Amino acid sequence: MFDIEESTIENSFTGSGNTGFFLTLNALGGDSLFSDSSLNFGVDWFGVFPFIAAPENLALVFQNSSPTQQFSLHVVSGLTSVPEPSSILLTLLGLTGLGIARKP
């Protein structure tokens, strides 16, 4: 991993804040695709998929909307996905609704 701020190669990541992935494509003149769709002019080129048989392994995929145009597929282990705050809020609202519905 290359740390841009320190201009050094790091062996571990201890940073905070937003993180993401990018892919530089020489075929596109060296342009980069990012896991954050707002950096791709609103187009989502990135997906993360856990393996059903081994959820500790994740597939990181860059591809366009056509499944035949996959640019990159990396299988990584040791990463965990963190739910967005809106997902947590929606889950809590659903559980609250179930609790209210069960009361006579």
Side-chain angles (χ1 to χ4, degrees):
M1 173 172 38
F2 186 76
D3 186 341
I4 294 173
E5 289 87 14
E6 309 249 344
S7 295
T8 60
I9 295 177
E10 301 286 338
N11 292 328
S12 63
F13 180 74
T14 57
S16 62
N18 295 332
T19 60
F21 300 95
F22 70 95
L23 175 68
T24 301
L25 297 172
N26 292 331
L28 296 178
D31 288 339
S32 295
L33 302 175
F34 299 91
S35 55
D36 182 353
S37 63
S38 66
L39 300 174
N40 299 327
F41 307 103
V43 179
D44 192 5
W45 294 82
F46 183 74
V48 177
F49 305 96
F51 285 74
I52 293 173
E56 68 277 4
N57 296 330
L58 299 172
L60 307 177
V61 181
F62 279 96
Q63 75 179 42
N64 73 2
S65 59
S66 170
T68 60
Q69 291 185 321
Q70 188 175 74
F71 299 117
S72 174
L73 167 66
H74 297 277
V75 177
V76 295
S77 182
L79 295 178
T80 56
S81 57
V82 178
E84 295 182 29
S86 59
S87 303
I88 294 170
L89 180 61
L90 185 59
T91 301
L92 289 174
L93 284 172
L95 291 173
T96 304
L98 283 173
I100 292 171
R102 295 186 94 194
K103 291 184 179 181

